[in-house]
Amino acid sequence: MDTEEATTAAETSAPASPRGFYGCAIALIAFFTLIALGAHAFTEFEKGLDGDGQLERTGRSGSAYQPFGPGTTARYEDGLWVTVSFPERQDDGAYSLTVTFKNGTDEELLLGEKSFPDTLEVEPDESGQDDAAGSYVDWLNGDEAASALAPPLPEDEERTVPVRLKPDRKGVPVTVAVTPPHPGHRETAHFRLTLG
């Protein structure tokens, strides 16, 4: 008799409603969306505390002690990206490379601002490298690079600045230091390259 009651109870139970399934699915989607939005808001709040001129930290810091390599991109928290290409040897013994600025900020940028002339600098890298001591690198197109930096860079556009360098010998390490102007403070992104 107990088995008949159990069988009857199983037969008379209502089938699972698809409304309940859809309701749970919608609730889970809403829950995870709120978590993602909260995490994004927290990240943006944290960036705001640092300041827009800070480099995003995703691996190497871009400092003089942990410079970026060629072909990498320095990303600033306000949306500016700076990429230094690999140097290419030319027939005359010089090396050419490019520095590309991509303006992902929400305003026009003045890269070649007269009150801030050190947006782009190139020097032999003598920090802790004995074989670089006494090396000399001639920047062949400094005026051309300054002219390329002079016009304002509109929002959502990019500009590529050509750089031509001629070292006194092959294998000279150089540091390209990029400090885009900022109304407050912007960190310098260092890129270490080897010419040769």
Side-chain angles (χ1 to χ4, degrees):
M1 183 143 127
D2 291 334
T3 57
E4 288 177 14
E5 289 177 6
T7 306
T8 306
E11 290 175 0
T12 59
S13 65
S17 168
R19 294 174 105 189
F21 173 74
Y22 292 132
C24 288
I26 291 172
L28 282 173
I29 290 170
F31 176 72
F32 286 115
T33 301
L34 286 175
I35 287 177
L37 289 173
H40 178 71
F42 180 74
T43 302
E44 291 301 314
F45 174 73
E46 184 180 37
K47 286 180 183 180
L49 292 177
D50 291 345
D52 287 339
Q54 301 294 321
L55 285 167
E56 291 183 1
R57 307 290 185 217
T58 56
R60 298 189 74 77
S61 68
S63 69
Y65 303 105
Q66 285 189 329
F68 297 115
T72 56
T73 300
R75 293 174 171 89
Y76 289 92
E77 292 184 352
D78 64 352
L80 175 64
W81 289 17
V82 179
T83 305
V84 175
S85 71
F86 285 88
E88 294 180 10
R89 184 170 166 73
Q90 305 298 307
D91 293 337
D92 61 354
Y95 291 82
S96 64
L97 58 104
T98 59
V99 180
T100 303
F101 297 85
K102 185 176 181 183
N103 185 3
T105 68
D106 56 358
E107 61 189 10
E108 182 177 80
L109 294 178
L110 300 172
L111 298 174
E113 195 173 315
K114 289 183 181 180
S115 62
F116 197 86
D118 300 330
T119 299
L120 187 58
E121 294 181 320
V122 179
E123 313 177 334
D125 182 23
E126 298 182 11
S127 59
Q129 302 218 10
D130 295 334
D131 62 346
S135 295
Y136 177 76
V137 176
D138 189 15
W139 189 349
L140 301 176
N141 69 334
D143 292 338
E144 180 186 354
S147 294
L149 287 169
L153 178 60
E155 175 183 350
D156 294 326
E157 290 192 18
E158 66 179 52
R159 176 166 307 138
T160 299
V161 178
V163 176
R164 291 193 72 233
L165 307 171
K166 189 162 189 177
D168 59 353
R169 62 183 174 78
K170 193 174 179 180
V172 172
V174 296
T175 297
V176 177
V178 184
T179 314
H182 188 270
H185 165 76
R186 192 180 299 270
E187 287 185 292
T188 300
H190 297 84
F191 296 82
R192 186 165 296 146
L193 319 168
T194 301
L195 304 179

